Amino acid sequence: MAIFLKGSWLVQPRRGTALNYLLDIVDIKPANMEDLTEVITASEFHPHHCNLFVYSSSKGSLRLCDMRASALCDKHSKLFEEPEDPSNRSFFSEIISSVSDVKFSHSGRYMLTRDYLTVKVWDLNMETKPIETYQVHDYLRSKLCSLYENDCIFDKFECAWNGSDSVIMTGAYNNFFRMFDRNTKRDVTLEASRESSKPRAILKPRRVCVGGKRRKEDISVDSLDFTKKILHTAWHPTENIIAIAATNNLYIFQDKVNSEMH
């Protein structure tokens, strides 16, 4: 419900210890906790302007704040929110629209957000809707009821930019992770496993089959392991190196072909 800026204030008490302090910069807590309808889910400072930061909420909105205007940023400078299509409204709409992660692009021009089913790219100059929307695992839309019952629908997936802001990465189930090329609009599903992490191993694209014809290497949506999930992802700021956290394993992959070319 609140964002705190934590620092340390060096003093010299009797035993020479340091005192920590918390600076409250956002607080949307209602006077009566029974009126609580929205919580803060993620936040990040702008990469070039230290006075700007954004925070996301469980209602799917983004608020850009400027600390030059006020030390207490309960009033935002910009509100980024996509209107909901009434025809798609369901019991799960508010849950799956909750933003689990937000990342500024390296250029500072765009923001990347992740909700349960999609990743979206927002332009700081356009608040009404995202400029790009990518479906991460739309095949799960028909399984939201069972995902709600096993609490998977509340999983918080992270997202990441590559160094040039041209490719987006985020996690999924079955130890799969997804990549979206913003220029070519191509996407690929890859798997983090012990086999793929062997030296000189090449990651092979995976495909989830919903119905109809199924290739030998395809995996059925009914066979997905929801206990294996990639919630945390990170991309090296300049190199084609990624880190994937799958349960209690950390995988690091490198695109050696492109690295050698550059």
Side-chain angles (χ1 to χ4, degrees):
M1 294 177 294
I3 296 177
F4 299 99
L5 185 63
K6 184 176 181 180
S8 60
W9 187 4
L10 297 179
V11 295
Q12 293 182 344
R14 181 174 301 177
R15 295 187 180 180
T17 58
L19 295 180
N20 289 332
Y21 66 90
L22 291 175
L23 179 63
D24 190 355
I25 56 178
V26 174
D27 188 357
I28 60 174
K29 183 176 66 175
N32 187 350
M33 289 299 290
E34 294 182 357
D35 298 330
L36 181 66
T37 59
E38 186 177 18
V39 296
I40 294 171
T41 54
S43 62
E44 187 176 68
F45 274 97
H46 193 278
H48 306 306
H49 305 291
C50 61
N51 56 290
L52 296 177
F53 71 94
V54 65
Y55 68 90
S56 59
S57 83
S58 56
K59 286 191 173 182
S61 62
L62 304 170
R63 292 177 175 87
L64 186 70
C65 300
D66 189 344
M67 292 193 296
R68 293 177 303 181
S70 172
L72 184 61
C73 298
D74 289 346
K75 294 183 178 180
H76 52 269
S77 300
K78 288 186 176 183
L79 174 64
F80 300 84
E81 196 169 35
E82 183 177 21
E84 183 184 7
D85 185 354
S87 62
N88 293 331
R89 179 72 183 176
S90 71
F91 171 80
F92 306 106
S93 294
E94 187 169 325
I95 301 175
I96 63 176
S97 66
S98 176
V99 176
S100 57
D101 194 22
V102 57
K103 292 287 192 332
F104 277 108
S105 63
H106 296 83
S107 67
R109 171 71 184 274
Y110 305 103
M111 295 182 296
L112 176 65
T113 62
R114 172 68 202 266
D115 55 44
Y116 191 67
L117 295 178
T118 68
V119 284
K120 299 175 180 177
V121 178
W122 299 79
D123 190 321
L124 262 65
N125 296 323
M126 189 166 74
E127 303 173 54
T128 55
K129 62 179 181 179
I131 60 173
E132 300 166 25
T133 300
Y134 302 95
Q135 300 293 333
V136 179
H137 38 209
D138 197 51
Y139 45 77
L140 295 182
R141 195 175 293 274
S142 61
K143 297 186 173 297
L144 293 179
C145 185
S146 58
L147 291 168
Y148 177 79
E149 292 176 352
N150 63 16
D151 286 340
C152 284
I153 200 171
F154 301 105
D155 287 334
K156 307 300 181 185
F157 293 94
E158 294 180 357
C159 52
W161 299 90
N162 72 335
S164 60
D165 299 332
S166 61
V167 183
I168 294 165
M169 176 175 60
T170 191
Y173 292 107
N174 213 75
N175 278 5
F176 289 165
F177 60 99
R178 302 269 282 140
M179 288 188 175
F180 303 91
D181 191 311
R182 299 181 60 207
N183 296 325
T184 64
K185 302 305 178 184
R186 294 179 179 177
D187 62 89
V188 65
T189 300
L190 301 171
E191 182 181 7
S193 63
R194 292 186 180 275
E195 290 72 22
S196 63
S197 63
K198 293 179 181 178
R200 297 185 179 181
I202 298 177
L203 290 176
K204 297 180 179 179
R206 301 301 306 272
R207 181 174 177 266
V208 178
C209 179
V210 179
K213 294 183 178 180
R214 178 180 173 185
R215 293 179 294 188
K216 182 179 180 181
E217 61 274 14
D218 290 350
I219 180 171
S220 170
V221 65
D222 296 320
S223 301
L224 293 175
D225 189 343
F226 294 105
T227 63
K228 296 180 179 179
K229 60 192 78 173
I230 294 178
L231 302 179
H232 309 289
T233 58
W235 207 312
H236 192 282
T238 57
E239 303 291 337
N240 278 329
I241 301 174
I242 60 174
I244 305 294
T247 316
N248 60 340
N249 297 310
L250 176 64
Y251 298 91
I252 297 179
F253 300 105
Q254 180 178 11
D255 185 351
K256 291 186 178 181
V257 176
N258 289 334
S259 297
E260 291 171 358
M261 290 176 61
H262 296 287

